[in-house]
Amino acid sequence: MKIYNRFSIRRQLQGSHMDRIRSLYNEYVQLLSKEGQISCLLPRELWENSEHEKFGGSCSPRVHSTWPRSLLVQLGTHLVELMVQTIKLKNNMFSPRSEPKLIPVLYHMYSFRSTRQIGLIKPHPIYSQMLLDAGETLLTFETSVMPMRCPPLPWTSPHFGAYLLSPSKLMRSGEGAVQHQLLLEKSSPGQLFPVLDSLNQLGICAWRINKPVLDIIVSIFNDKGSEKLDIPPPLSEAPAFPLQNTGSLSSWDKLSYQKEQARCRKKAAEMYSLRMDALYKLSIANHLRDQIFWFPHNMDFRGRTYPCPPYFNHLGSDVTRALLLFAEGRPLGPNGLDWLKTHLINLTGLKKKNSLQERKQYAEEIMDDILDSADRPLTGRKWWMEADEPWQTLACCMEVANASRSPDPTKYISHFPVHQDGSCNGLQHYAALGRDEIGAKSVNLMPSETPQDVYSGVAQQVEGFRQIDAKKGIKIAQVLEGFIGRKVVKQTVMTVVYGVTRYGGRLQIEKRLREMDSFPQEYVWEASHYLVQQVFSSLKEMFSGTRSIQHWLTESARMISKSGNTVEWVTPLGLPIIQPYHRSKSVMFHSNLQTVHVTNKNDANARPDTMKQKNAFPPNFIHSLDSTHMMLTALHCHRHGITFVSVHDCFWTHADTVDIMNKVCREQFVSLHSQPILQHLSQFLIEKYCHNAQSHNPENLKMLNLFRDVPETGSFDLEHVKDSTYFFS
């Protein structure tokens, strides 16, 4: 892939094309800083206007096809061969010998993984020792994995946008999958504009590093880390390998010794991996500490958006998010400080069941702890360390302290991102699709004084079923008395939206029951079997529409894939989607070193994988709806001139614009679900899969009838969402 990327860059630098892009880009950046604020033109429109004024039309590069996977594998194998054959070192570097000779640095050898023989490339011990002694301190990255130090190119088509030189894909896909790109390129002109514009809106948000927080994290990282604060410790803190007794050992002792050795080896490997991951993130943050930078965005095949730089971005962990600030600052205004305080308590996870007003009041009550955390993070009372998200909590403590100590907090310039989180967002979309009254209330689509908790609601209902069964004398219902709580059902309720089966749900509940010391372990299997049935029954009652929609989507996908087709649909924003699940196909390549087997599960020429197609359709369809809602919110926030970024169903903006973003977010959810989404899907499926259906074929008739049989919906009024405080909060 590196060779391909270099080749693409070299090809672009040939001819006059790059000079055109350079002159256009300079003009675009000027327009972005001035015109973008005034004229409300979208970045894509600014770019296209400049193109037409300067060159009378598009000057996007010629579309060159990407190299097929088979070619990449053969090229990679050839490069490995060259390295094994040609890179040599002297054999007497560490132990002087009479006859120095050149030996290979890399060796090709075979090993077994289970019953399969695989090839390995191993370095010579002399080379490994050289690397260890050298202690290289410089990390080198390809430019395409780093945040950009200038605004990204706007996406104007499926093959132009993001980086100026490095090749970038609008839609990320599995290895060997080309069907997504082909589908995008077949789209009619203008069909993809709303999707491209929302990606551009996310990409033009400028960022900077929170230096005080970075310095504290680096100091802990360099001082043996802290597992409690999610700063990985160095390998010197790994558990010591067990010492073997010199005397004769029984077979049981030998086995125990080997198990302990394996455990220590596994722990050391995990610690090293986590430490290096943190090193990458902190090194990049430190490199950018005095810079302004941008994250170009692309999406997966369902339309969910992601920053292109993989190591350091706002989708990362608590540590990474705490390091990021908006480059643009805005005055807090009349409500900004209140939102910062509420956001701070949200990050701690302490007052999830309380109203926003109560959370703000709680922040004011503990202001001493907040200020102490900000002033003496490592030497004070360390209140921030007990939070759910400790590093973001600390960063927020510092921001609240700075704002509240300023002469006029309403004029304090804040760069701090405030988050608003969807309340079990997958179920929110299902409840809106099915117009479920009870379900809508439990996931905060209805206004209420305090946030509703769907997990507690399900747990209460399951407890009700248990009490009825216990009175009937059912033994397992009696054993479960006092053990049914929110924690037991939470994971199953959350993953039901994403297609978890009763079998998977039972395993989740079993795990929770095993964690309870007081629960009689001999009843775990029977209890988990009983509870998963009750959880599914409870969800069927609360989300009656949801279960019928899920069943309809699953059955539709099953029939489509059994007919030899893959499932396709188009989102309400016009993004075409195809599920890339096919039966795996193995291809064999011969090289001088060994035979290489390459497995491709995304080959569009292979038969569809029916099981994956049907199980993945409901969650993928819901993901495509939540990404559509996010994109609509992004576009309308741009229209209001406010900063907006998202982490899927968690929306970020400045403290003074949270109220505007909240209004837009609710309006766009209502607007999206006011469309006949399921009717449009039904129509699309009939046109796509039944237009050639011969009427005498019973399977095709069955499929046609299924597509027409759109699930009935309840009577929930979507307008209630606009007044629901805890829909996103």
Side-chain angles (χ1 to χ4, degrees):
M1 277 309 291
K2 278 191 179 182
I3 298 276
Y4 171 73
N5 290 343
R6 299 283 167 93
F7 167 72
S8 300
I9 291 169
R10 182 74 58 88
R11 192 174 51 194
Q12 282 201 73
L13 290 170
Q14 290 170 351
S16 60
H17 163 71
M18 211 53 226
D19 296 331
R20 286 178 157 200
I21 295 286
R22 190 180 287 114
S23 96
L24 255 179
Y25 182 76
N26 288 334
E27 193 171 304
Y28 166 72
V29 173
Q30 295 297 321
L31 287 170
L32 200 58
S33 57
K34 297 177 200 158
E35 291 280 316
Q37 306 295 323
I38 306 157
S39 64
C40 276
L41 283 176
L42 294 155
R44 175 185 53 79
E45 293 169 330
L46 290 174
W47 179 271
E48 287 173 346
N49 288 354
S50 297
E51 264 184 331
H52 283 281
E53 281 171 26
K54 265 186 133 81
F55 305 111
S58 169
C59 71
S60 298
R62 290 194 315 278
V63 182
H64 295 279
S65 60
T66 53
W67 293 350
R69 192 172 178 225
S70 55
L71 174 61
L72 289 169
V73 171
Q74 288 174 85
L75 175 59
T77 309
H78 178 62
L79 293 171
V80 170
E81 273 179 46
L82 287 177
M83 288 165 73
V84 170
Q85 287 163 8
T86 58
I87 306 176
K88 307 265 169 93
L89 52 70
K90 288 181 181 172
N91 66 339
N92 65 344
M93 292 187 77
F94 291 111
S95 52
R97 292 181 185 180
S98 52
E99 287 181 54
K101 59 176 183 178
L102 291 176
I103 55 170
V105 169
L106 300 172
Y107 285 89
H108 176 256
M109 57 184 286
Y110 287 101
S111 179
F112 280 91
R113 289 283 185 276
S114 174
T115 55
R116 287 173 57 236
Q117 191 182 34
I118 60 162
L120 295 174
I121 303 294
K122 289 263 185 161
H124 193 282
I126 293 176
Y127 177 66
S128 301
Q129 190 61 47
M130 278 170 61
L131 274 185
L132 211 59
D133 295 348
E136 177 59 84
T137 57
L138 186 71
L139 285 175
T140 308
F141 293 98
E142 293 279 309
T143 51
S144 57
V145 302
M146 289 289 283
M148 289 181 73
R149 299 255 299 275
C150 54
L153 285 178
W155 285 106
T156 57
S157 74
H159 37 73
F160 183 78
Y163 297 106
L164 280 80
L165 279 171
S166 299
S168 44
K169 287 170 99 174
L170 173 63
M171 193 172 271
R172 43 180 77 194
S173 55
E175 282 188 82
V178 293
Q179 54 269 56
H180 308 297
Q181 190 66 21
L182 295 172
L183 206 56
L184 291 171
E185 285 169 11
K186 276 197 296 190
S187 303
S188 55
Q191 181 186 334
L192 294 175
F193 284 170
V195 172
L196 301 179
D197 292 337
S198 59
L199 285 171
N200 295 336
Q201 163 68 358
L202 299 171
I204 59 165
C205 174
W207 299 87
R208 69 180 208 190
I209 295 295
N210 188 334
K211 289 192 271 190
V213 174
L214 174 64
D215 291 337
I216 295 166
I217 292 173
V218 168
S219 73
I220 293 176
F221 181 82
N222 290 334
D223 183 29
K224 298 191 174 177
S226 163
E227 287 196 348
K228 182 189 174 186
L229 295 173
D230 207 20
I231 310 290
L235 273 182
S236 58
E237 302 301 298
F241 272 73
L243 295 170
Q244 190 167 12
N245 291 332
T246 46
S248 60
L249 294 172
S250 67
S251 55
W252 174 255
D253 288 338
K254 278 181 186 171
L255 185 66
S256 300
Y257 171 74
Q258 286 168 354
K259 271 189 174 178
E260 184 59 19
Q261 255 198 333
R263 189 191 68 81
C264 290
R265 210 173 282 121
K266 183 171 180 276
K267 178 70 177 168
E270 284 169 0
M271 283 176 70
Y272 181 76
S273 177
L274 291 168
R275 181 81 175 173
M276 292 305 106
D277 179 59
L279 179 68
Y280 272 29
K281 289 176 167 63
L282 295 177
S283 301
I284 293 170
N286 200 46
H287 177 70
L288 296 167
R289 65 182 296 135
D290 298 312
Q291 309 288 342
I292 287 173
F293 51 93
W294 286 260
F295 297 126
H297 278 63
N298 63 3
M299 57 188 165
D300 66 15
F301 74 89
R302 304 160 305 182
R304 280 198 139 188
T305 58
Y306 300 85
C308 300
Y311 303 119
F312 182 74
N313 59 57
H314 61 289
L315 258 72
S317 63
D318 172 49
V319 174
T320 320
R321 292 184 188 191
L323 293 173
L324 287 166
L325 295 170
F326 293 135
E328 183 194 358
R330 291 180 67 113
L332 282 178
N335 299 325
L337 184 54
D338 286 349
W339 272 118
L340 279 176
K341 289 174 184 173
T342 305
H343 176 53
L344 172 58
I345 302 306
N346 287 349
L347 289 168
T348 65
L350 290 171
K351 298 283 173 182
K352 287 177 183 171
K353 295 181 181 178
N354 296 61
S355 69
L356 292 184
Q357 184 60 29
E358 286 166 339
R359 292 178 212 179
K360 181 174 80 74
Q361 278 171 355
Y362 179 67
E364 283 158 6
E365 286 164 20
I366 58 158
M367 192 53 79
D368 270 359
D369 285 329
I370 293 169
L371 297 177
D372 176 71
S373 294
D375 298 337
R376 299 181 302 148
L378 300 179
T379 56
R381 294 194 291 271
K382 304 177 187 176
W383 170 83
W384 63 278
M385 289 188 183
E386 303 308 315
D388 280 3
E389 311 278 1
W391 289 107
Q392 289 174 84
T393 301
L394 175 61
C396 201
C397 286
M398 291 176 169
E399 188 72 359
V400 168
N402 292 338
S404 53
R405 286 166 176 166
S406 65
D408 181 356
T410 62
K411 290 179 182 165
Y412 173 78
I413 303 297
S414 175
H415 296 258
F416 204 82
V418 173
H419 313 168
Q420 295 287 278
D421 236 326
S423 168
C424 205
N425 193 238
L427 277 173
Q428 287 181 325
H429 283 283
Y430 266 129
L433 278 176
R435 302 290 196 274
D436 278 325
E437 285 272 357
I438 306 169
K441 190 176 181 191
S442 69
V443 289
N444 295 297
L445 298 190
M446 291 272 270
S448 60
E449 291 298 311
T450 53
Q452 300 300 302
D453 180 27
V454 66
Y455 311 118
S456 299
V458 172
Q460 283 166 14
Q461 201 157 13
V462 170
E463 173 60 15
F465 295 153
R466 186 205 65 77
Q467 286 173 5
I468 294 165
D469 289 344
K471 281 175 188 168
K472 289 179 187 171
I474 295 172
K475 175 76 173 150
I476 195 63
Q478 293 167 347
V479 170
L480 277 162
E481 186 173 351
F483 290 105
I484 297 171
R486 182 182 189 272
K487 195 178 176 185
V488 174
V489 303
K490 182 179 176 181
Q491 193 184 4
T492 309
V493 173
M494 197 192 293
T495 50
V496 154
V497 190
Y498 303 118
V500 79
T501 58
R502 283 174 193 256
Y503 175 75
R506 193 197 68 74
L507 291 176
Q508 291 168 343
I509 290 169
E510 180 185 321
K511 197 176 174 189
R512 297 288 86 81
L513 292 174
R514 288 199 187 281
E515 287 166 3
M516 296 179 183
D517 296 334
S518 54
F519 187 77
Q521 295 299 303
E522 66 273 19
Y523 288 106
V524 163
W525 193 90
E526 200 182 339
S528 57
H529 191 75
Y530 171 81
L531 280 179
V532 79
Q533 288 178 313
Q534 303 309 327
V535 169
F536 273 68
S537 302
S538 168
L539 284 167
K540 206 168 186 177
E541 259 184 45
M542 289 171 76
F543 296 88
S544 50
T546 298
R547 299 303 288 164
S548 56
I549 291 165
Q550 246 182 348
H551 179 71
W552 182 68
L553 293 172
T554 305
E555 275 304 294
S556 299
R558 188 183 66 80
M559 296 200 80
I560 290 165
S561 54
K562 283 201 91 170
S563 70
N565 294 296
T566 45
V567 180
E568 288 184 43
W569 70 98
V570 177
T571 71
L573 264 186
L575 179 69
I577 292 176
I578 182 168
Q579 293 196 147
Y581 314 118
H582 294 265
R583 292 184 190 171
S584 55
K585 213 176 181 183
S586 196
V587 184
M588 198 163 67
F589 299 103
H590 294 284
S591 74
N592 293 337
L593 282 182
Q594 66 170 70
T595 304
V596 181
H597 289 266
V598 179
T599 305
N600 187 358
K601 293 180 179 177
N602 304 309
D603 185 352
N605 297 318
R607 276 192 70 78
D609 182 331
T610 304
M611 186 63 81
K612 270 196 170 177
Q613 288 282 347
K614 81 178 180 70
N615 287 343
F617 186 29
N620 285 342
F621 184 70
I622 293 299
H623 280 315
S624 75
L625 288 184
D626 75 40
S627 78
T628 301
H629 174 227
M630 185 282 295
M631 289 176 175
L632 286 166
T633 306
L635 293 171
H636 284 267
C637 282
H638 180 270
R639 187 176 283 176
H640 283 83
I642 69 173
T643 301
F644 174 87
V645 288
S646 85
V647 180
H648 306 316
D649 61 348
C650 178
F651 297 171
W652 298 17
T653 191
H654 285 91
D656 75 311
T657 55
V658 174
D659 293 313
I660 300 170
M661 183 185 75
N662 274 337
K663 185 170 181 287
V664 169
C665 159
R666 285 153 178 75
E667 285 171 354
Q668 293 316 307
F669 186 86
V670 173
S671 167
L672 169 65
H673 283 284
S674 296
Q675 297 178 50
I677 294 171
L678 294 177
Q679 285 72 16
H680 285 166
L681 176 64
S682 161
Q683 201 178 327
F684 176 85
L685 296 178
I686 290 167
E687 285 172 17
K688 175 84 188 167
Y689 302 106
C690 302
H691 63 290
N692 290 331
Q694 294 113 1
S695 53
H696 57 267
N697 185 330
E699 280 300 308
N700 283 334
L701 264 177
K702 215 168 159 186
M703 190 153 70
L704 183 62
N705 291 333
L706 175 67
F707 294 162
R708 282 179 178 157
D709 188 20
V710 179
E712 288 181 13
T713 55
S715 55
F716 172 66
D717 182 2
L718 279 172
E719 288 297 314
H720 288 310
V721 174
K722 292 181 181 176
D723 303 315
S724 173
T725 306
Y726 302 102
F727 165 63
F728 266 64
S729 66

